[in-house]
Each structure stands twice: as C-alpha cells, then as structure tokens.
Amino acid sequence: GVFGKWHVGGKVPPHGISNKTHVLTDLRHNWDLPLIQGPLDIGFHESLISIGGIQSAPYNMFRNDILDFDRNDTRWWNMGSYDAERGTSIIGEKEGEGDPNWDDSAYDMILVNETSDFIERHLQESSEKPFFAYVGFGAVHTPHAPPKMYIDGSQVEGRYETEHLDMLGLMDKAVGSLMETIEEKGLEKDTVIIFASDNGGLVYPEDTGHRASGPLRGAKSEIYDGGHRVPLIISQPGTFPVGERRDQVVGLNDLYATICELVGIKKPLPPSAVDSISFASYITSGTDTDVERESLGTFSLKGKYNWNHALRKGKWKLVHFPNNSTMELYNMETDIGEVDDKLRNQPSQELQEMTVRMCKELREIGPCPIAGTRSDFKKRCQKDGFSYDETSYCKFEISQSNIFTHST
C-alpha cells in the first residue's frame, strides 16, 4: 500500500491533461475512470494519495486511483487560512481546485489511520504473506498547519515556539503511532522500518525555530550537503544492531537493491534500478568494506543556466557548475561545512588529476553524458549550459600568476 504524498506524476483520464488550472472540473477529464499510471498501475494494491502532497493543487485524495469525492462538489481554494475540524488548514501560493473538505492540518493523522487499517486488513486476510507500506507524510513541508490536537488528544499546535517545530512534533507522534501498531501486532522483529527524508533542511531557518541543516552548508535543493544529506534510520530488532551509527555514504536510490536483498529476492535486471546498490550487509556489520558504492552523484536541476551537480568519492566531494565552468573540491572528513575549497588556490598536480577524474565520472552518470545522449536531450543540455567539447571538458589551466582557472 502507499499512503500520502505521491508526487511522481500520472495521467489524467482518459487521454491526459487538457486543462492544468481546472484539472478536476474540465469535462474533457473523466474522473469516473482511474488515474493513469497511478499506484495501482505500477503494482500497489491499495492507496490513498494526494498528487502534490499538501502544497499544491489539486487539493484532494485519490483512493485506489479513483477521485475520493464528488467532482461536482469541487471548490476553488485561494491562498489563505481556513477554519477546519482539526485546526487551521492553510493553502499556500499554489492555488487551485480541490475537495471542499480539504484540511491539511489533519493530513498526517489520516495517513496514520489509513496505514494502521491497511496493516490490520492484511493480518486478517493474508497474514501468511508479507506486506509493504510506503507512507509519505505532509510534515514538515510547507505550509505549516499543525492540528490543535493529535489522535490521542495530546497537544500539537502551540506546543513549541514555531509552527515548523509543531509539525516536527506531529511527525514524531505519527511515526510513533505506526511503530506502536507494529509492536501491538507483534510484528516488530519481522518488519524492516525505514525512516528518511527526501530533501535537506528549509531555506529560511530563522522562521522555523532551529537550523534544520545543522552545520551543513546550504538548504533544500542546493548542491551542498545541506540540500541533499538527510536522516536515514533503519530498524528491525533482533536482526539489526540497536543504537549504532554508520558513516559511509549511501543514497536513497540504494534502498531498492537493499530491500531486495533483505527480503531475499534478486534485483531486477537493467534497465530497472541501474543506480541502486545494496548496503544490506553494512547495516548489520558496520564494516566499511561491506559498502560496494564507491561514489555518489547528486544533481540540482533548476532550469536554464542553473544546473549544478556534485560527486562524493571517499572523503572528497567535487561540486561542478557547468553554466559558468567552475569547480570546488572539499575534504568532507575535515570540512563538513564545505568552507575550505581545495581548488581556491593553486592545487597540487595530484589534486588536479583527481578532480579531472571525478569531473568526468560525474558527467557520465548525470543527465547530460557525452556517450549515448539522445539528440533531443543533448540539445536541451547544450541550451542549459553544458559543453560537449570533449577536448576541453573538465580540464585545468594554471596561469603564470598562479591563479587557478577552469577551462571549458
């Protein structure tokens, strides 16, 4: 089952979207039919999802790919705050159509109840089979609309100094409720629980009551670690060590292969999950050699002339800005805040050669590789600032005045 924020697309029935503004009420859209390429189309058996989480229209849920309210009751939600049953529901800048009963302050509690019911039904109907549940909470994405009270009657809104911190408290309660469900059913030793975030901290820490990225440079969507490094907590008492930490670099994309190994099935052959490498052995052993991943690329693709990417390889992290042909190199063991750029002054020959190798590797694993690029996408990459001149890409020039420059 999948519950919560979907945000990976789909097609409006029957032939795709014809009206992005009035996606629910345009009569060319037939919402008596299921969402195309929704959860049930790709293998889930049950779902309750919103296409864009809590932050964008349409503001409604789809249950098992079917619109979960009467489209004739659709209302237009303007930006603003609205009194709702559970608290104050907030619509941000992305106005649009939705369910007249939309209440984002209740969103995470709805997901807790739906997921708990899913587990209960599974145990009643198919207890001999395994289950998989993906839960995409609204917390702590904006808009921050904490409910007055949680499911159990405990306070949420106003408990902390900012709405963001209240939402963190709500998420803690929601995760705790699902953990309790697992424990009450006696499933904790047979269930792998994975907690993670999909982005770094918020951009405006002064409005949130704390610095979400801690000592890391940057924030959500930025190429520095504050934009990409996220929590990853994995639990299965009796199988995995309790309270231990791991410090080798893995990616969320590696969860696919890792889960396959943990449940004893083979990872599908390419082109499925070609960038997923299992770290299942590392969870248990903590031995660095059990991490097969040698490097990890991260990509921040924000539109024309604002693409950048980075490669982490061992203790080194290379940041490359293709649009202005600059690079930065950081030792992440001694400089977690990415302050001391090792390429700022004249780098050694060894650093130059390593940087060139990392730059070329980054290019080939990214969205604009030199080899095998489709002609239509190659034009897009060139338009957005990528050079396809193999003779100059990722090369250095050291001037006589010992000023470092990067030539493309």
Side-chain angles (χ1 to χ4, degrees), residues 80-91:
S81 300
Y82 299 85
D83 291 335
E85 181 180 353
R86 288 289 189 173
T88 301
S89 183
I90 299 176
I91 302 296

PDB file of all heavy atoms in Angstrom, residues 80-91:
ATOM      1  N   GLY A  80      -4.616  31.224   1.610  1.00  0.00           N
ATOM      2  CA  GLY A  80      -5.147  31.754   2.858  1.00  0.00           C
ATOM      3  C   GLY A  80      -5.306  30.677   3.907  1.00  0.00           C
ATOM      4  O   GLY A  80      -4.929  29.512   3.710  1.00  0.00           O
ATOM      5  N   SER A  81      -5.873  31.058   5.040  1.00  0.00           N
ATOM      6  CA  SER A  81      -6.105  30.156   6.169  1.00  0.00           C
ATOM      7  C   SER A  81      -7.598  29.907   6.324  1.00  0.00           C
ATOM      8  O   SER A  81      -8.409  30.828   6.181  1.00  0.00           O
ATOM      9  CB  SER A  81      -5.539  30.762   7.459  1.00  0.00           C
ATOM     10  OG  SER A  81      -4.141  30.983   7.348  1.00  0.00           O
ATOM     11  N   TYR A  82      -7.946  28.663   6.656  1.00  0.00           N
ATOM     12  CA  TYR A  82      -9.349  28.270   6.738  1.00  0.00           C
ATOM     13  C   TYR A  82      -9.589  27.459   8.008  1.00  0.00           C
ATOM     14  O   TYR A  82      -8.807  26.543   8.322  1.00  0.00           O
ATOM     15  CB  TYR A  82      -9.739  27.428   5.517  1.00  0.00           C
ATOM     16  CG  TYR A  82      -9.580  28.146   4.200  1.00  0.00           C
ATOM     17  CD1 TYR A  82      -8.358  28.175   3.541  1.00  0.00           C
ATOM     18  CD2 TYR A  82     -10.664  28.807   3.620  1.00  0.00           C
ATOM     19  CE1 TYR A  82      -8.206  28.841   2.333  1.00  0.00           C
ATOM     20  CE2 TYR A  82     -10.525  29.479   2.407  1.00  0.00           C
ATOM     21  CZ  TYR A  82      -9.292  29.491   1.771  1.00  0.00           C
ATOM     22  OH  TYR A  82      -9.155  30.157   0.578  1.00  0.00           O
ATOM     23  N   ASP A  83     -10.649  27.792   8.728  1.00  0.00           N
ATOM     24  CA  ASP A  83     -11.026  27.007   9.899  1.00  0.00           C
ATOM     25  C   ASP A  83     -11.469  25.625   9.460  1.00  0.00           C
ATOM     26  O   ASP A  83     -12.278  25.474   8.539  1.00  0.00           O
ATOM     27  CB  ASP A  83     -12.162  27.694  10.664  1.00  0.00           C
ATOM     28  CG  ASP A  83     -11.720  28.989  11.340  1.00  0.00           C
ATOM     29  OD1 ASP A  83     -10.514  29.110  11.629  1.00  0.00           O
ATOM     30  OD2 ASP A  83     -12.575  29.864  11.563  1.00  0.00           O
ATOM     31  N   ALA A  84     -10.934  24.602  10.099  1.00  0.00           N
ATOM     32  CA  ALA A  84     -11.279  23.225   9.768  1.00  0.00           C
ATOM     33  C   ALA A  84     -11.510  22.448  11.060  1.00  0.00           C
ATOM     34  O   ALA A  84     -11.268  22.948  12.166  1.00  0.00           O
ATOM     35  CB  ALA A  84     -10.166  22.581   8.937  1.00  0.00           C
ATOM     36  N   GLU A  85     -11.958  21.223  10.900  1.00  0.00           N
ATOM     37  CA  GLU A  85     -12.327  20.421  12.075  1.00  0.00           C
ATOM     38  C   GLU A  85     -11.147  20.183  12.994  1.00  0.00           C
ATOM     39  O   GLU A  85     -11.285  20.243  14.216  1.00  0.00           O
ATOM     40  CB  GLU A  85     -12.909  19.080  11.612  1.00  0.00           C
ATOM     41  CG  GLU A  85     -13.351  18.183  12.755  1.00  0.00           C
ATOM     42  CD  GLU A  85     -13.930  16.869  12.274  1.00  0.00           C
ATOM     43  OE1 GLU A  85     -14.102  16.703  11.054  1.00  0.00           O
ATOM     44  OE2 GLU A  85     -14.200  16.002  13.133  1.00  0.00           O
ATOM     45  N   ARG A  86      -9.979  19.935  12.434  1.00  0.00           N
ATOM     46  CA  ARG A  86      -8.813  19.578  13.240  1.00  0.00           C
ATOM     47  C   ARG A  86      -7.929  20.765  13.607  1.00  0.00           C
ATOM     48  O   ARG A  86      -7.091  20.658  14.495  1.00  0.00           O
ATOM     49  CB  ARG A  86      -7.970  18.550  12.485  1.00  0.00           C
ATOM     50  CG  ARG A  86      -8.600  17.179  12.410  1.00  0.00           C
ATOM     51  CD  ARG A  86      -8.579  16.505  13.770  1.00  0.00           C
ATOM     52  NE  ARG A  86      -8.978  15.114  13.704  1.00  0.00           N
ATOM     53  CZ  ARG A  86      -8.907  14.276  14.723  1.00  0.00           C
ATOM     54  NH1 ARG A  86      -8.450  14.700  15.890  1.00  0.00           N
ATOM     55  NH2 ARG A  86      -9.304  13.033  14.598  1.00  0.00           N
ATOM     56  N   GLY A  87      -8.097  21.876  12.887  1.00  0.00           N
ATOM     57  CA  GLY A  87      -7.243  23.026  13.150  1.00  0.00           C
ATOM     58  C   GLY A  87      -7.432  24.057  12.062  1.00  0.00           C
ATOM     59  O   GLY A  87      -8.523  24.217  11.522  1.00  0.00           O
ATOM     60  N   THR A  88      -6.356  24.752  11.733  1.00  0.00           N
ATOM     61  CA  THR A  88      -6.386  25.740  10.656  1.00  0.00           C
ATOM     62  C   THR A  88      -5.716  25.161   9.426  1.00  0.00           C
ATOM     63  O   THR A  88      -4.523  24.856   9.442  1.00  0.00           O
ATOM     64  CB  THR A  88      -5.671  27.035  11.081  1.00  0.00           C
ATOM     65  OG1 THR A  88      -6.304  27.570  12.238  1.00  0.00           O
ATOM     66  CG2 THR A  88      -5.709  28.055   9.963  1.00  0.00           C
ATOM     67  N   SER A  89      -6.510  24.984   8.379  1.00  0.00           N
ATOM     68  CA  SER A  89      -5.977  24.482   7.123  1.00  0.00           C
ATOM     69  C   SER A  89      -5.427  25.660   6.321  1.00  0.00           C
ATOM     70  O   SER A  89      -6.036  26.727   6.286  1.00  0.00           O
ATOM     71  CB  SER A  89      -7.068  23.765   6.327  1.00  0.00           C
ATOM     72  OG  SER A  89      -6.536  23.210   5.140  1.00  0.00           O
ATOM     73  N   ILE A  90      -4.269  25.464   5.696  1.00  0.00           N
ATOM     74  CA  ILE A  90      -3.599  26.562   5.001  1.00  0.00           C
ATOM     75  C   ILE A  90      -3.363  26.199   3.540  1.00  0.00           C
ATOM     76  O   ILE A  90      -2.871  25.107   3.225  1.00  0.00           O
ATOM     77  CB  ILE A  90      -2.258  26.904   5.677  1.00  0.00           C
ATOM     78  CG1 ILE A  90      -2.486  27.339   7.133  1.00  0.00           C
ATOM     79  CG2 ILE A  90      -1.526  28.001   4.901  1.00  0.00           C
ATOM     80  CD1 ILE A  90      -1.208  27.599   7.893  1.00  0.00           C
ATOM     81  N   ILE A  91      -3.707  27.106   2.649  1.00  0.00           N
ATOM     82  CA  ILE A  91      -3.378  26.988   1.233  1.00  0.00           C
ATOM     83  C   ILE A  91      -2.276  28.000   0.944  1.00  0.00           C
ATOM     84  O   ILE A  91      -2.420  29.190   1.231  1.00  0.00           O
ATOM     85  CB  ILE A  91      -4.599  27.274   0.338  1.00  0.00           C
ATOM     86  CG1 ILE A  91      -5.745  26.317   0.667  1.00  0.00           C
ATOM     87  CG2 ILE A  91      -4.210  27.179  -1.134  1.00  0.00           C
ATOM     88  CD1 ILE A  91      -5.455  24.865   0.392  1.00  0.00           C
TER      89      ILE A  91
END
